[in-house]
Amino acid sequence: MTTRTSSTTTVARVVAVVADVMAFVIGLWILMYLLDANRANDLVEFVRETARWLAGWSHDLFTFDKEWARVVAGYGLAAVVYLFIGHAAAGALRRR
């Protein structure tokens, strides 16, 4: 029984880390956007494309007049949802 508990804990940890990484990438893009990072830079473009893919479902969800507010709200919602669902799933796995 210890092996199953150990493997379940490991899977839960992986799920939580994946959710954290997804939220981090999205948060990093929000920060880069707000700081007007150079979009010609390969790292900035990689983070932007990855965040856009991760937050595709919430990207243009809001219609604020200011573009920065749309970016923060749309991408921020995706980051919060990934954190919430990822950590809830990890908690459920740990209790299993």
Side-chain angles (χ1 to χ4, degrees):
M1 195 67 149
T2 305
T3 303
R4 180 181 167 140
T5 304
S6 175
S7 63
T8 302
T9 301
T10 301
V11 171
R13 189 171 297 132
V14 168
V15 168
V17 168
V18 168
D20 290 345
V21 169
M22 292 165 68
F24 175 78
V25 169
I26 294 170
L28 184 59
W29 168 243
I30 292 171
L31 182 64
M32 287 178 168
Y33 177 85
L34 292 174
L35 295 175
D36 199 25
N38 179 9
R39 296 206 184 157
N41 181 285
D42 290 337
L43 175 63
V44 174
E45 184 60 20
F46 173 77
V47 171
R48 184 183 78 80
E49 287 296 320
T50 304
R52 186 173 180 107
W53 182 78
L54 289 170
W57 59 270
S58 68
H59 179 258
D60 284 329
L61 190 63
F62 301 100
T63 57
F64 297 116
D65 290 336
K66 302 288 185 184
E67 185 178 356
W68 68 265
R70 288 191 304 269
V71 169
V72 171
Y75 286 94
L77 174 65
V80 169
V81 167
Y82 286 131
L83 283 173
F84 179 77
I85 291 174
H87 284 268
L93 286 168
R94 284 187 189 103
R95 287 186 295 274
R96 213 172 147 202

